[in-house]
C-alpha cells in the first residue's frame, strides 16, 4: 500500500489557504490539514470548499473533508407518522435565530460527543452569527429551550454543525421546521458532514466528495451577508 502524503500544516495568516480536498488522508478518514485560524474568513473559505473544523481541547485546529459525505437534500427529508404527530400536537414553539448562544451552549453540553465544541469554537461561530452566516433553530416548551440545532448558511447550502434534545424528537422537530424554511428559499443542500444512523433514518445519504464539491460549486454562487434579520422569525407557534 502506498504511503499517505504528509498532513498539510497551514500558516496563521489573515488570508485563508487550504490544499485541494483530494489531498485529505484516508486515515483518519477525511483529515485534510492542521493549523490556520478560526476567523470568519477562514471558516467561510473552508465551507465554500467543503472543509470544516473539528478538534478537541489541546489539539491544533484540524480541518476535514470526508469522502463520502453525508448530505440531506431538502426534498428527501423523511417525516415518519410519529414525528408528524409530534410536530402537530407536541405543543412546541419553534423559532429561528432567537437564541443562538443558548443553542450552541446546549449543543456543547447535551449532545453526545459534544465536547469538541470548545470555547474557541463557540466564539468563532458566534462571530459568524453576528455576520449573518451562523444560524440557530430553537424548540421551546413554554419558555424552556428543549431542543435545537445550529449551522452555517452560505449561498444556497446550509452546513449543519450540531443539534441537541431535552425532549424526545425535539431536535427532529427543529430539523423538520428548518427544512421547510430552506425549501421555501430554494436551498439546494444540507451538509450533515458525517454518517449517523439517526440522520439516515431522516433521509440523509452518502455521496462522493467529488459530487459534493460539484454541488457546492453550483449552489454557492453568492453569499448573503447580513441576512440575520431575514432569519429571525417564528416557524411554529
Amino acid at each position: 500500500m502506498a504511503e499517505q502524503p504528509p498532513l498539510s500544516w497551514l500558516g496563521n495568516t489573515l488570508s485563508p489557504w487550504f490544499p485541494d480536498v483530494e489531498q485529505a488522508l484516508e486515515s483518519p478518514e477525511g483529515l485534510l490539514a492542521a493549523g490556520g485560524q478560526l476567523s470568519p474568513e477562514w471558516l467561510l473559505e473552508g465551507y465554500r470548499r467543503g472543509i470544516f473544523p473539528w478538534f478537541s481541547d489541546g489539539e491544533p485546529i484540524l480541518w476535514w473533508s470526508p469522502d463520502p459525505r453525508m448530505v440531506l437534500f431538502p426534498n428527501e427529508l423523511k417525516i415518519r407518522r410519529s414525528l408528524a404527530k409530534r410536530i402537530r400536537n407536541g405543543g412546541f414553539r419553534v423559532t429561528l435565530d432567537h437564541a443562538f448562544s443558548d443553542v450552541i451552549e446546549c449543543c456543547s453540553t447535551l449532545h453526545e460527543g459534544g465536547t469538541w465544541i470548545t470555547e474557541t469554537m463557540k466564539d468563532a461561530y458566534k462571530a459568524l452569527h453576528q455576520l449573518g452566516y451562523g444560524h440557530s433553530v430553537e424548540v421551546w416548551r413554554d419558555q424552556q429551550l428543549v431542543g435545537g440545532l445550529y449551522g452555517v448558511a452560505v449561498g444556497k447550502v446550509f452546513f449543519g454543525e450540531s443539534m441537541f434534545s431535552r425532549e424526545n424528537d425535539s431536535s427532529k422537530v427543529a430539523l423538520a421546521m428548518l427544512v421547510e424554511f430552506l425549501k421555501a428559499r430554494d436551498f439546494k443542500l444540507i451538509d450533515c458532514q458525517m454518517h449517523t444512523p439517526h440522520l439516515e433514518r431522516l433521509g440523509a445519504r452518502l455521496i462522493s466528495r467529488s459530487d459534493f464539491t460539484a454541488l457546492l460549486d453550483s449552489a454557492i454562487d453568492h453569499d448573503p451577508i447580513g441576512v440575520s434579520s431575514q432569519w429571525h422569525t417564528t416557524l411554529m407557534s
Side-chain angles (χ1 to χ4, degrees), residues 56-75:
S56 299
D57 267 333
E59 294 180 336
I61 301 171
L62 300 177
W63 301 90
W64 302 77
S65 183
D67 186 16
R69 189 80 165 225
M70 195 72 169
V71 302
L72 174 63
F73 294 94
N75 288 331

Side-chain angles (χ1 to χ4, degrees), residues 139-154:
V139 181
W140 307 87
R141 175 154 330 266
D142 299 324
Q143 301 303 312
Q144 172 105 20
L145 185 62
V146 297
L149 61 85
Y150 77 95
V152 177
V154 185

Side-chain angles (χ1 to χ4, degrees), residues 7-126:
L7 181 67
S8 295
W9 284 84
L10 309 178
N12 186 22
T13 59
L14 293 177
S15 298
W17 177 87
F18 292 100
D20 188 282
V21 294
E22 295 303 324
Q23 295 183 30
L25 304 182
E26 294 181 5
S27 179
E29 167 56 45
L31 179 59
L32 177 66
Q37 294 188 25
L38 288 179
S39 66
E41 292 80 10
W42 277 82
L43 287 169
L44 292 173
E45 180 63 17
Y47 282 116
R48 293 184 188 107
R49 299 185 55 188
I51 303 164
F52 60 88
W54 183 34
F55 62 98
S56 299
D57 267 333
E59 294 180 336
I61 301 171
L62 300 177
W63 301 90
W64 302 77
S65 183
D67 186 16
R69 189 80 165 225
M70 195 72 169
V71 302
L72 174 63
F73 294 94
N75 288 331
E76 295 182 3
L77 177 68
K78 294 179 181 177
I79 299 181
R80 299 182 184 277
R81 186 175 301 175
S82 59
L83 177 56
K85 184 177 180 180
R86 288 282 281 173
I87 293 172
R88 290 194 309 269
N89 304 321
F92 296 122
R93 180 169 59 92
V94 184
T95 58
L96 265 172
D97 280 358
H98 279 51
F100 185 91
S101 294
D102 292 336
V103 168
I104 198 169
E105 289 293 337
C106 289
C107 286
S108 71
T109 57
L110 299 175
H111 185 276
E112 184 177 352
T115 53
W116 61 271
I117 307 177
T118 63
E119 293 302 318
T120 303
M121 288 283 271
K122 292 175 191 177
D123 290 343
Y125 284 88
K126 289 175 185 178

